[in-house]
Amino acid sequence: SQFSHGIFRTSAAARDVAVPCGSCATLVTERLLADGARGAAMLADPATRLLLRSAVAIDTDDLADAAKTTPRDARALDALDA
């Protein structure tokens, strides 16, 4: 079956994502950054950036949890702070 969540369209079979990162908010941020104008419009909203930034910071202990934090998380925070 198909699921539609705004700009994200996935099938039930493709919902499992195995990507090493400390926060799934990092993956959402990467998707939005790669989505061109639509993603940029969503990231232009301060509340969206705050929500994503907060999730990455909490999940990675503000990038201090070396066992969980990855360079992808740091790049996501940089992008969200820009």
Side-chain angles (χ1 to χ4, degrees):
S1 68
Q2 293 286 322
F3 298 94
S4 176
H5 304 283
I7 64 170
F8 303 107
R9 299 191 194 298
T10 63
S11 69
R15 288 184 359 175
D16 292 332
V17 178
V19 178
C21 66
S23 176
C24 24
T26 294
L27 302 178
V28 173
T29 300
E30 288 176 348
R31 282 292 289 267
L32 291 172
L33 289 168
D35 195 44
R38 287 181 64 172
M42 292 182 79
L43 289 172
D45 176 24
T48 300
R49 282 196 321 278
L50 178 62
L51 176 69
L52 290 169
R53 195 208 185 289
S54 297
V56 175
I58 289 168
D59 290 344
T60 64
D61 193 19
D62 209 16
L63 303 180
D65 185 345
K68 191 171 184 183
T69 302
T70 69
R72 295 174 85 154
D73 301 303
R75 285 191 301 269
L77 279 184
D78 286 344
L80 293 166
D81 287 340

